[in-house]
Amino acid sequence: YLVFFLPMLVGEKNDPFLKYHFKQAVGLLILALSLQGVISIIGYRGGPQQTLAWVVRVILIIEVVVGMTNALRGEMRLLPVIGKYAAKL
């Protein structure tokens, strides 16, 4: 997750494209950490908890891939699930 912060540290901090994708990455990081925390509290013993954990991880990986693809293409598109909330950061 720390890779998301690297462009902000080495790039132009006032670049709107960089700020936009940085906010999306921070929103994704907050979501990932909070969901992993919830999964840890629920427990990871198998059964429905294990299935829930894998579903959450697959969704997070899809979000990361979509975000990276948008950034590499030079597009400023919202992430599918959390984009509108991350844009408000």
Side-chain angles (χ1 to χ4, degrees), residues 24-56:
Q24 295 289 303
V26 169
L28 184 57
L29 177 64
I30 291 169
L31 177 69
L33 292 176
S34 62
L35 289 176
Q36 287 299 121
V38 169
I39 289 170
S40 296
I41 291 170
I42 291 173
Y44 187 76
R45 295 187 179 93
Q49 295 93 345
Q50 186 175 12
T51 304
L52 175 66
W54 280 106
V55 168
V56 166

Side-chain angles (χ1 to χ4, degrees), residues 12-89:
E12 293 184 33
K13 292 180 174 64
N14 294 327
D15 182 17
F17 180 78
L18 185 63
K19 280 184 177 182
Y20 177 81
H21 284 289
F22 181 73
K23 287 180 182 182
Q24 295 289 303
V26 169
L28 184 57
L29 177 64
I30 291 169
L31 177 69
L33 292 176
S34 62
L35 289 176
Q36 287 299 121
V38 169
I39 289 170
S40 296
I41 291 170
I42 291 173
Y44 187 76
R45 295 187 179 93
Q49 295 93 345
Q50 186 175 12
T51 304
L52 175 66
W54 280 106
V55 168
V56 166
R57 290 179 183 136
V58 167
I59 290 171
L60 291 173
I61 289 171
I62 291 170
E63 292 278 338
V64 168
V65 169
V66 168
M68 288 174 48
T69 304
N70 289 340
L72 291 173
R73 289 183 181 167
E75 299 173 352
M76 293 175 63
R77 297 174 64 189
L78 295 174
L79 290 174
V81 177
I82 62 154
K84 61 183 175 183
Y85 303 109
K88 295 178 183 179
L89 291 175

